[in-house]
Amino acid sequence: MQEEALQAIQAAPDLESLQAVKTRYVGKSGLVTRELGTLGKLPPEERKARGAEINAVRAAIDAALTEREAALKRAALDARLASEAIDVTLPGLGLPSGGPHLISRILTDLQDIYAGLGYTVVEGNEVEDDQHNFDALNIPWFHPARDLWDTFWLEDGRLLRTHTSPMQVRYMVDHTPPLKIVVPGKVYRYEATDATHESMFHQLEGLVVGERVSMADLKGTIAEMARGLFGPRTQVRFQPSYYPFTEPGADFSVWWENPRGESKWLELGGCGMVHPNVFRAVDDLREAQGQPRVYEGKTGFAFGLGPERIAMLKYGIPDIRYFYANDPKVLAQFRGPLG
Ligand code: PHE
């Protein structure tokens, strides 16, 4: 019986079957237990030896049970640990991470440069009206220069701003000089899209108004910005240009030596002294609101530039449409530190 029991114990594949073996041999009515119950019927002189024999069998079975139970428990634990194990040598899955868009980063850099020069950053609405986008900027409806800004008109007669310049007007109507502001934001043009034209792009507008603000101040400011953007040795060039809201008006370029060893004049934006007609229109709007006329006789300068253009020139991006096609392969190249 002992041999049989020990074999059954070794063969039990799990704790449940081991329990069955235990019940069969040493349970309350198990085979060994029943054998002990027969001792009373034996003649007294045989009892002791028989009792010792049965107890030895029981002890052997108990020991085997304990040992097998421990082994089965250990095996079960090992199996569970193995099923929970991870292979830390497998290649990772790499969670893709997002980040600010290159154009946002350039606009942020520009705002930092101007904040350092004491400018206030303000934003306007993308839906504008004719008065602020054109009329008050000295571009009446019959003015041929309106063609410079191909316009998306809304059904209610309003429009998508074609430049950030309307914020010059809005800010001056609400504030008195002296003032220094920059206006980052989106602008819209009704144009066929190609490598250098998008129907939506960004501008950063600047406006300074005070006493005896001069063209020299304007040039110094643009030079300071260009050096902040392209490095301390950057040269700036101004060429006469025409904007209805400036007199005189100019376009500015930087002489920039890029890391690939090329250098050339890169046109970055437009600028000029604020046209007296703009100050007059602002005072008219103020007067209509019951505010005093405070701009006539003041001087100021304004400028506007496009961050897309800066990005294309600086990083050799050949097509403006890359910025908004949302291809992660393009955008991810501009996540790290920018040169
Ligand atoms: N608003 C002009 C444009 O969109 C840029 C500009 C701004 C020019 C301020 C002169 C002064 O082209």
Side-chain angles (χ1 to χ4, degrees):
M1 189 198 289
Q2 175 176 334
E3 227 160 83
E4 229 178 69
L6 293 186
Q7 253 170 40
I9 288 167
Q10 280 323 303
D14 51 38
L15 289 167
E16 218 173 287
S17 13
L18 187 66
Q19 182 61 43
V21 176
K22 185 174 180 176
T23 309
R24 177 172 157 76
Y25 290 97
V26 296
K28 260 195 199 138
S29 46
L31 296 173
V32 178
T33 319
R34 249 190 277 158
E35 212 52 48
L36 279 170
T38 62
L39 281 179
K41 289 172 200 150
L42 288 179
E45 62 276 15
E46 285 177 30
R47 258 182 232 162
K48 200 175 167 197
R50 181 68 176 156
E53 195 182 13
I54 298 172
N55 275 329
V57 170
R58 194 194 156 113
I61 292 175
D62 279 344
L65 280 168
T66 310
E67 197 188 312
R68 183 67 184 151
E69 186 182 333
L72 284 174
K73 279 188 175 158
R74 215 179 307 118
L77 182 65
D78 284 350
R80 213 182 78 204
L81 287 178
S83 77
E84 285 174 3
I86 50 166
D87 183 351
V88 294
T89 65
L90 287 174
L93 287 177
L95 296 176
S97 63
H101 193 282
L102 173 58
I103 298 303
S104 302
R105 296 182 67 174
I106 290 177
L107 280 173
T108 306
D109 286 353
L110 285 165
Q111 288 170 56
D112 286 349
I113 291 169
Y114 281 106
L117 295 171
Y119 284 63
T120 304
V121 179
V122 293
E123 287 182 56
N125 291 330
E126 290 166 29
V127 173
E128 261 298 356
D129 52 39
D130 193 300
Q131 185 174 50
H132 293 87
N133 195 84
F134 291 121
D135 278 335
L137 289 169
N138 198 30
I139 321 171
W141 66 268
F142 53 81
H143 200 296
R146 276 211 181 191
D147 293 349
L148 294 174
W149 295 278
D150 300 294
T151 309
F152 283 115
W153 294 93
L154 305 184
E155 281 172 0
D156 63 7
R158 291 185 299 166
L159 51 86
L160 297 182
R161 66 177 177 193
T162 59
H163 49 179
T164 41
S165 302
M167 261 313 273
Q168 290 188 30
V169 178
R170 289 194 183 276
Y171 195 85
M172 285 193 278
V173 169
D174 291 342
H175 299 81
T176 54
L179 57 88
K180 286 159 77 167
I181 57 165
V182 282
V183 189
K186 290 183 164 67
V187 300
Y188 300 84
R189 303 248 173 116
Y190 182 42
E191 284 176 328
T193 297
D194 64 25
T196 53
H197 296 85
E198 259 285 23
S199 47
M200 186 282 295
F201 55 98
H202 294 76
Q203 285 191 335
L204 183 92
E205 187 88 10
L207 175 69
V208 172
V209 180
E211 304 286 345
R212 288 193 295 278
V213 175
S214 71
M215 192 85 187
D217 297 323
L218 168 60
K219 292 178 75 174
T221 303
I222 298 290
E224 189 71 20
M225 169 188 71
R227 284 170 201 141
L229 278 178
F230 294 99
R233 293 177 342 117
T234 308
Q235 306 271 355
V236 185
R237 179 178 77 171
F238 292 78
Q239 289 173 296
S241 187
Y242 174 72
Y243 296 96
F245 35 91
T246 60
E247 180 55 36
D251 287 327
F252 57 93
S253 311
V254 296
W255 179 253
W256 183 58
E257 299 175 28
N258 73 17
R260 297 177 293 277
E262 307 150 5
S263 46
K264 52 185 166 186
W265 286 112
L266 310 172
E267 202 173 301
L268 278 195
C271 62
M273 303 308 291
V274 178
H275 196 292
N277 284 353
V278 175
F279 285 143
R280 204 166 296 129
V282 166
D283 272 340
D284 288 347
L285 286 166
R286 286 177 59 88
E287 203 170 60
Q289 292 182 7
Q291 301 290 329
R293 304 180 74 91
V294 287
Y295 282 95
E296 273 163 73
K298 293 284 181 290
T299 48
F301 64 74
F303 56 85
L305 55 105
E308 282 86 357
R309 202 169 160 71
I310 294 175
M312 290 172 81
L313 300 173
K314 207 171 165 186
Y315 302 110
I317 298 169
D319 193 316
I320 194 173
R321 290 167 294 193
Y322 278 131
F323 293 122
Y324 307 110
N326 278 336
D327 180 347
K329 281 193 205 120
V330 174
L331 300 180
Q333 294 177 47
F334 304 102
R335 287 281 143 70
L338 296 178

